[in-house]
Tab-separated table of all heavy atoms in Angstrom:
chain	number	residue	atom	x	y	z
A	1	PRO	N	107.520	-85.881	-26.128
A	1	PRO	CA	108.357	-85.395	-25.025
A	1	PRO	C	107.939	-85.896	-23.652
A	1	PRO	O	108.789	-86.078	-22.783
A	1	PRO	CB	108.237	-83.876	-25.127
A	1	PRO	CG	107.011	-83.621	-25.927
A	1	PRO	CD	106.850	-84.805	-26.833
A	2	GLN	N	106.673	-86.140	-23.447
A	2	GLN	CA	106.214	-86.591	-22.139
A	2	GLN	C	106.787	-87.960	-21.783
A	2	GLN	O	106.841	-88.332	-20.632
A	2	GLN	CB	104.681	-86.595	-22.068
A	2	GLN	CG	103.992	-87.605	-22.953
A	2	GLN	CD	103.871	-87.240	-24.432
A	2	GLN	OE1	104.492	-86.315	-24.925
A	2	GLN	NE2	103.068	-87.995	-25.146
A	3	VAL	N	107.257	-88.693	-22.795
A	3	VAL	CA	107.771	-90.043	-22.563
A	3	VAL	C	109.293	-90.112	-22.678
A	3	VAL	O	109.933	-90.812	-21.906
A	3	VAL	CB	107.137	-91.032	-23.578
A	3	VAL	CG1	107.707	-92.435	-23.402
A	3	VAL	CG2	105.629	-91.047	-23.450
A	4	VAL	N	109.886	-89.401	-23.619
A	4	VAL	CA	111.286	-89.658	-23.937
A	4	VAL	C	112.243	-88.466	-23.763
A	4	VAL	O	113.387	-88.558	-24.182
A	4	VAL	CB	111.429	-90.227	-25.361
A	4	VAL	CG1	110.772	-91.578	-25.476
A	4	VAL	CG2	110.886	-89.269	-26.391
A	5	THR	N	111.809	-87.395	-23.147
A	5	THR	CA	112.707	-86.251	-22.973
A	5	THR	C	113.982	-86.651	-22.234
A	5	THR	O	115.086	-86.335	-22.676
A	5	THR	CB	111.995	-85.105	-22.238
A	5	THR	OG1	110.952	-84.623	-23.076
A	5	THR	CG2	112.955	-83.972	-21.918
A	6	LYS	N	113.848	-87.350	-21.128
A	6	LYS	CA	115.033	-87.736	-20.353
A	6	LYS	C	115.936	-88.667	-21.154
A	6	LYS	O	117.160	-88.587	-21.068
A	6	LYS	CB	114.632	-88.387	-19.034
A	6	LYS	CG	114.120	-87.390	-18.021
A	6	LYS	CD	113.854	-88.065	-16.696
A	6	LYS	CE	113.369	-87.059	-15.677
A	6	LYS	NZ	113.108	-87.688	-14.378
A	7	ALA	N	115.344	-89.535	-21.950
A	7	ALA	CA	116.147	-90.444	-22.773
A	7	ALA	C	116.953	-89.665	-23.804
A	7	ALA	O	118.111	-90.008	-24.086
A	7	ALA	CB	115.257	-91.469	-23.457
A	8	HIS	N	116.380	-88.625	-24.361
A	8	HIS	CA	117.115	-87.812	-25.331
A	8	HIS	C	118.243	-87.034	-24.655
A	8	HIS	O	119.333	-86.906	-25.217
A	8	HIS	CB	116.175	-86.889	-26.095
A	8	HIS	CG	115.445	-87.617	-27.170
A	8	HIS	ND1	115.927	-87.731	-28.445
A	8	HIS	CD2	114.288	-88.291	-27.156
A	8	HIS	CE1	115.102	-88.441	-29.167
A	8	HIS	NE2	114.087	-88.795	-28.409
A	9	LEU	N	117.984	-86.527	-23.476
A	9	LEU	CA	119.057	-85.866	-22.727
A	9	LEU	C	120.170	-86.869	-22.410
A	9	LEU	O	121.353	-86.544	-22.503
A	9	LEU	CB	118.507	-85.249	-21.442
A	9	LEU	CG	117.577	-84.045	-21.628
A	9	LEU	CD1	116.909	-83.685	-20.306
A	9	LEU	CD2	118.324	-82.859	-22.210
A	10	ALA	N	119.775	-88.094	-22.085
A	10	ALA	CA	120.754	-89.143	-21.807
A	10	ALA	C	121.562	-89.478	-23.060
A	10	ALA	O	122.781	-89.675	-22.986
A	10	ALA	CB	120.051	-90.390	-21.274
A	11	GLY	N	120.904	-89.520	-24.206
A	11	GLY	CA	121.615	-89.778	-25.459
A	11	GLY	C	122.641	-88.692	-25.741
A	11	GLY	O	123.755	-88.962	-26.189
A	12	CYS	N	122.272	-87.459	-25.483
A	12	CYS	CA	123.201	-86.333	-25.650
A	12	CYS	C	124.391	-86.501	-24.710
A	12	CYS	O	125.546	-86.339	-25.116
A	12	CYS	CB	122.471	-85.017	-25.384
A	12	CYS	SG	123.561	-83.572	-25.387
A	13	ALA	N	124.119	-86.836	-23.451
A	13	ALA	CA	125.194	-87.010	-22.472
A	13	ALA	C	126.107	-88.163	-22.880
A	13	ALA	O	127.332	-88.064	-22.735
A	13	ALA	CB	124.602	-87.243	-21.083
A	14	ALA	N	125.542	-89.232	-23.403
A	14	ALA	CA	126.352	-90.360	-23.872
A	14	ALA	C	127.227	-89.932	-25.047
A	14	ALA	O	128.407	-90.310	-25.132
A	14	ALA	CB	125.451	-91.525	-24.264
A	15	ALA	N	126.677	-89.122	-25.944
A	15	ALA	CA	127.434	-88.641	-27.100
A	15	ALA	C	128.630	-87.803	-26.659
A	15	ALA	O	129.692	-87.843	-27.291
A	15	ALA	CB	126.524	-87.836	-28.026
A	16	LYS	N	128.473	-87.054	-25.582
A	16	LYS	CA	129.571	-86.224	-25.090
A	16	LYS	C	130.750	-87.083	-24.604
A	16	LYS	O	131.864	-86.597	-24.514
A	16	LYS	CB	129.084	-85.296	-23.982
A	16	LYS	CG	128.180	-84.180	-24.538
A	16	LYS	CD	127.630	-83.300	-23.451
A	16	LYS	CE	128.654	-82.498	-22.757
A	16	LYS	NZ	129.021	-81.230	-23.297
A	17	GLN	N	130.478	-88.368	-24.354
A	17	GLN	CA	131.548	-89.300	-23.979
A	17	GLN	C	131.931	-90.193	-25.164
A	17	GLN	O	132.675	-91.163	-25.003
A	17	GLN	CB	131.112	-90.155	-22.792
A	17	GLN	CG	130.943	-89.363	-21.510
A	17	GLN	CD	130.648	-90.255	-20.322
A	17	GLN	OE1	131.221	-91.336	-20.170
A	17	GLN	NE2	129.761	-89.790	-19.441
A	18	GLY	N	131.378	-89.889	-26.340
A	18	GLY	CA	131.699	-90.681	-27.522
A	18	GLY	C	131.043	-92.047	-27.543
A	18	GLY	O	131.502	-92.955	-28.230
A	19	LYS	N	129.943	-92.198	-26.794
A	19	LYS	CA	129.303	-93.511	-26.690
A	19	LYS	C	127.818	-93.454	-27.019
A	19	LYS	O	127.021	-94.217	-26.475
A	19	LYS	CB	129.516	-94.078	-25.291
A	19	LYS	CG	130.993	-94.314	-24.996
A	19	LYS	CD	131.191	-95.318	-23.940
A	19	LYS	CE	132.687	-95.595	-23.809
A	19	LYS	NZ	132.940	-96.782	-23.062
A	20	PHE	N	127.452	-92.567	-27.938
A	20	PHE	CA	126.037	-92.470	-28.302
A	20	PHE	C	125.521	-93.785	-28.873
A	20	PHE	O	124.450	-94.255	-28.498
A	20	PHE	CB	125.788	-91.340	-29.306
A	20	PHE	CG	124.367	-91.309	-29.786
A	20	PHE	CD1	123.363	-90.779	-28.995
A	20	PHE	CD2	124.023	-91.848	-31.024
A	20	PHE	CE1	122.049	-90.773	-29.407
A	20	PHE	CE2	122.698	-91.845	-31.442
A	20	PHE	CZ	121.722	-91.303	-30.632
A	21	LYS	N	126.261	-94.372	-29.806
A	21	LYS	CA	125.792	-95.598	-30.447
A	21	LYS	C	125.578	-96.709	-29.422
A	21	LYS	O	124.555	-97.400	-29.460
A	21	LYS	CB	126.760	-96.060	-31.534
A	21	LYS	CG	126.241	-97.286	-32.285
A	21	LYS	CD	127.141	-97.678	-33.421
A	21	LYS	CE	126.680	-98.877	-34.211
A	21	LYS	NZ	125.749	-99.795	-33.650
A	22	GLU	N	126.521	-96.855	-28.504
A	22	GLU	CA	126.374	-97.883	-27.481
A	22	GLU	C	125.125	-97.624	-26.635
A	22	GLU	O	124.357	-98.540	-26.339
A	22	GLU	CB	127.609	-97.928	-26.575
A	22	GLU	CG	128.862	-98.406	-27.256
A	22	GLU	CD	129.655	-97.301	-27.947
A	22	GLU	OE1	129.105	-96.209	-28.209
A	22	GLU	OE2	130.839	-97.539	-28.231
A	23	PHE	N	124.925	-96.363	-26.243
A	23	PHE	CA	123.748	-96.026	-25.447
A	23	PHE	C	122.472	-96.288	-26.245
A	23	PHE	O	121.544	-96.931	-25.765
A	23	PHE	CB	123.788	-94.560	-24.993
A	23	PHE	CG	122.597	-94.184	-24.163
A	23	PHE	CD1	122.581	-94.419	-22.802
A	23	PHE	CD2	121.468	-93.630	-24.753
A	23	PHE	CE1	121.466	-94.099	-22.030
A	23	PHE	CE2	120.356	-93.314	-23.995
A	23	PHE	CZ	120.354	-93.548	-22.631
A	24	LYS	N	122.432	-95.797	-27.486
A	24	LYS	CA	121.237	-95.941	-28.329
A	24	LYS	C	120.888	-97.407	-28.545
A	24	LYS	O	119.728	-97.806	-28.397
A	24	LYS	CB	121.449	-95.252	-29.665
A	24	LYS	CG	120.294	-95.448	-30.650
A	24	LYS	CD	120.636	-95.016	-32.043
A	24	LYS	CE	121.695	-95.820	-32.697
A	24	LYS	NZ	121.308	-97.036	-33.386
A	25	ASP	N	121.875	-98.209	-28.906
A	25	ASP	CA	121.612	-99.628	-29.159
A	25	ASP	C	121.056	-100.308	-27.916
A	25	ASP	O	120.079	-101.067	-27.986
A	25	ASP	CB	122.883	-100.338	-29.630
A	25	ASP	CG	123.317	-99.910	-31.025
A	25	ASP	OD1	122.532	-99.224	-31.728
A	25	ASP	OD2	124.460	-100.241	-31.408
A	26	ASN	N	121.674	-100.039	-26.764
A	26	ASN	CA	121.174	-100.615	-25.511
A	26	ASN	C	119.789	-100.083	-25.162
A	26	ASN	O	118.942	-100.810	-24.661
A	26	ASN	CB	122.142	-100.317	-24.356
A	26	ASN	CG	123.343	-101.225	-24.357
A	26	ASN	OD1	123.226	-102.416	-24.609
A	26	ASN	ND2	124.512	-100.667	-24.086
A	27	TRP	N	119.565	-98.792	-25.422
A	27	TRP	CA	118.272	-98.184	-25.100
A	27	TRP	C	117.145	-98.874	-25.864
A	27	TRP	O	116.120	-99.224	-25.303
A	27	TRP	CB	118.293	-96.687	-25.412
A	27	TRP	CG	116.990	-96.032	-25.107
A	27	TRP	CD1	116.028	-95.665	-25.999
A	27	TRP	CD2	116.474	-95.700	-23.821
A	27	TRP	NE1	114.954	-95.121	-25.341
A	27	TRP	CE2	115.207	-95.135	-24.005
A	27	TRP	CE3	116.970	-95.832	-22.531
A	27	TRP	CZ2	114.417	-94.705	-22.950
A	27	TRP	CZ3	116.186	-95.396	-21.479
A	27	TRP	CH2	114.923	-94.843	-21.690
A	28	TRP	N	117.351	-99.076	-27.155
A	28	TRP	CA	116.303	-99.714	-27.967
A	28	TRP	C	116.016	-101.121	-27.486
A	28	TRP	O	114.854	-101.535	-27.420
A	28	TRP	CB	116.682	-99.721	-29.444
A	28	TRP	CG	116.485	-98.386	-30.066
A	28	TRP	CD1	117.467	-97.500	-30.420
A	28	TRP	CD2	115.252	-97.750	-30.386
A	28	TRP	NE1	116.903	-96.355	-30.927
A	28	TRP	CE2	115.548	-96.476	-30.928
A	28	TRP	CE3	113.915	-98.121	-30.264
A	28	TRP	CZ2	114.570	-95.593	-31.341
A	28	TRP	CZ3	112.939	-97.234	-30.684
A	28	TRP	CH2	113.271	-95.994	-31.206
A	29	GLU	N	117.060	-101.858	-27.156
A	29	GLU	CA	116.871	-103.254	-26.753
A	29	GLU	C	116.351	-103.393	-25.324
A	29	GLU	O	115.474	-104.197	-25.064
A	29	GLU	CB	118.185	-104.031	-26.892
A	29	GLU	CG	118.583	-104.287	-28.324
A	29	GLU	CD	117.550	-105.073	-29.119
A	29	GLU	OE1	116.974	-106.049	-28.597
A	29	GLU	OE2	117.302	-104.686	-30.285
A	30	LYS	N	116.885	-102.616	-24.407
A	30	LYS	CA	116.598	-102.825	-22.991
A	30	LYS	C	115.517	-101.920	-22.426
A	30	LYS	O	115.010	-102.192	-21.343
A	30	LYS	CB	117.881	-102.672	-22.179
A	30	LYS	CG	118.914	-103.718	-22.517
A	30	LYS	CD	120.193	-103.501	-21.763
A	30	LYS	CE	121.207	-104.572	-22.157
A	30	LYS	NZ	122.540	-104.258	-21.708
A	31	ALA	N	115.189	-100.848	-23.116
A	31	ALA	CA	114.199	-99.915	-22.560
A	31	ALA	C	113.024	-99.702	-23.511
A	31	ALA	O	111.874	-99.908	-23.137
A	31	ALA	CB	114.862	-98.583	-22.227
A	32	PHE	N	113.319	-99.294	-24.727
A	32	PHE	CA	112.225	-98.945	-25.637
A	32	PHE	C	111.354	-100.157	-25.960
A	32	PHE	O	110.133	-100.088	-25.845
A	32	PHE	CB	112.771	-98.323	-26.935
A	32	PHE	CG	111.681	-97.807	-27.822
A	32	PHE	CD1	111.099	-96.580	-27.586
A	32	PHE	CD2	111.221	-98.563	-28.884
A	32	PHE	CE1	110.081	-96.101	-28.389
A	32	PHE	CE2	110.206	-98.098	-29.700
A	32	PHE	CZ	109.637	-96.862	-29.449
A	33	LYS	N	111.960	-101.242	-26.356
A	33	LYS	CA	111.181	-102.431	-26.736
A	33	LYS	C	110.401	-103.002	-25.563
A	33	LYS	O	109.350	-103.608	-25.752
A	33	LYS	CB	112.088	-103.500	-27.334
A	33	LYS	CG	112.545	-103.176	-28.737
A	33	LYS	CD	113.395	-104.297	-29.311
A	33	LYS	CE	113.829	-103.982	-30.723
A	33	LYS	NZ	114.693	-105.051	-31.271
A	34	THR	N	110.906	-102.825	-24.347
A	34	THR	CA	110.216	-103.343	-23.169
A	34	THR	C	109.293	-102.304	-22.537
A	34	THR	O	108.592	-102.596	-21.589
A	34	THR	CB	111.235	-103.807	-22.108
A	34	THR	OG1	111.988	-102.676	-21.676
A	34	THR	CG2	112.135	-104.892	-22.659
A	35	ARG	N	109.336	-101.076	-23.080
A	35	ARG	CA	108.531	-99.941	-22.586
A	35	ARG	C	108.902	-99.551	-21.159
A	35	ARG	O	108.103	-99.003	-20.424
A	35	ARG	CB	107.025	-100.233	-22.676
A	35	ARG	CG	106.540	-100.461	-24.087
A	35	ARG	CD	106.585	-99.157	-24.836
A	35	ARG	NE	105.955	-99.273	-26.139
A	35	ARG	CZ	106.576	-98.998	-27.274
A	35	ARG	NH1	107.811	-98.600	-27.262
A	35	ARG	NH2	105.954	-99.103	-28.418
A	36	LYS	N	110.131	-99.854	-20.766
A	36	LYS	CA	110.635	-99.446	-19.453
A	36	LYS	C	111.575	-98.277	-19.680
A	36	LYS	O	112.789	-98.444	-19.761
A	36	LYS	CB	111.346	-100.613	-18.776
A	36	LYS	CG	110.426	-101.751	-18.422
A	36	LYS	CD	111.173	-102.880	-17.761
A	36	LYS	CE	110.211	-104.028	-17.466
A	36	LYS	NZ	110.908	-105.192	-16.932
A	37	MET	N	111.005	-97.067	-19.777
A	37	MET	CA	111.791	-95.886	-20.124
A	37	MET	C	111.879	-94.907	-18.960
A	37	MET	O	111.775	-93.714	-19.129
A	37	MET	CB	111.194	-95.233	-21.368
A	37	MET	CG	111.246	-96.146	-22.582
A	37	MET	SD	110.597	-95.411	-24.081
A	37	MET	CE	108.847	-95.669	-23.870
A	38	ASP	N	112.088	-95.433	-17.777
A	38	ASP	CA	112.145	-94.601	-16.579
A	38	ASP	C	113.600	-94.266	-16.222
A	38	ASP	O	114.533	-94.673	-16.913
A	38	ASP	CB	111.440	-95.302	-15.420
A	38	ASP	CG	112.008	-96.691	-15.135
A	38	ASP	OD1	113.052	-97.063	-15.713
A	38	ASP	OD2	111.410	-97.408	-14.318
A	39	ASP	N	113.771	-93.527	-15.138
A	39	ASP	CA	115.108	-93.118	-14.700
A	39	ASP	C	116.008	-94.326	-14.417
A	39	ASP	O	117.197	-94.316	-14.758
A	39	ASP	CB	115.023	-92.243	-13.451
A	39	ASP	CG	114.417	-90.885	-13.736
A	39	ASP	OD1	114.376	-90.475	-14.910
A	39	ASP	OD2	114.000	-90.211	-12.774
A	40	GLU	N	115.449	-95.350	-13.807
A	40	GLU	CA	116.230	-96.547	-13.502
A	40	GLU	C	116.754	-97.196	-14.786
A	40	GLU	O	117.921	-97.605	-14.860
A	40	GLU	CB	115.374	-97.547	-12.714
A	40	GLU	CG	116.142	-98.782	-12.284
A	40	GLU	CD	115.280	-99.752	-11.479
A	40	GLU	OE1	114.300	-99.324	-10.845
A	40	GLU	OE2	115.611	-100.951	-11.507
């Protein structure tokens, strides 16, 4: 949770717009793999 709480909240918010998969796929490629998991 100290690292990914905001990302999970963001995934939930994306799902509410029907775009969870798009958010998740981009998150893994652009944030998780690069370890840039900040607000920006």
Side-chain angles (χ1 to χ4, degrees):
Q2 67 281 13
V3 177
V4 295
T5 294
K6 286 185 179 180
H8 281 270
L9 291 170
C12 174
K16 289 177 67 87
Q17 293 186 40
K19 297 203 174 195
F20 175 78
K21 184 176 180 340
E22 292 87 342
F23 180 85
K24 175 192 65 86
D25 291 349
N26 281 319
W27 180 257
W28 283 106
E29 288 301 318
K30 296 177 181 167
F32 187 81
K33 286 182 179 178
T34 63
R35 298 290 188 237
K36 294 180 182 175
M37 297 182 278
D38 56 9
D39 291 342
E40 184 179 334

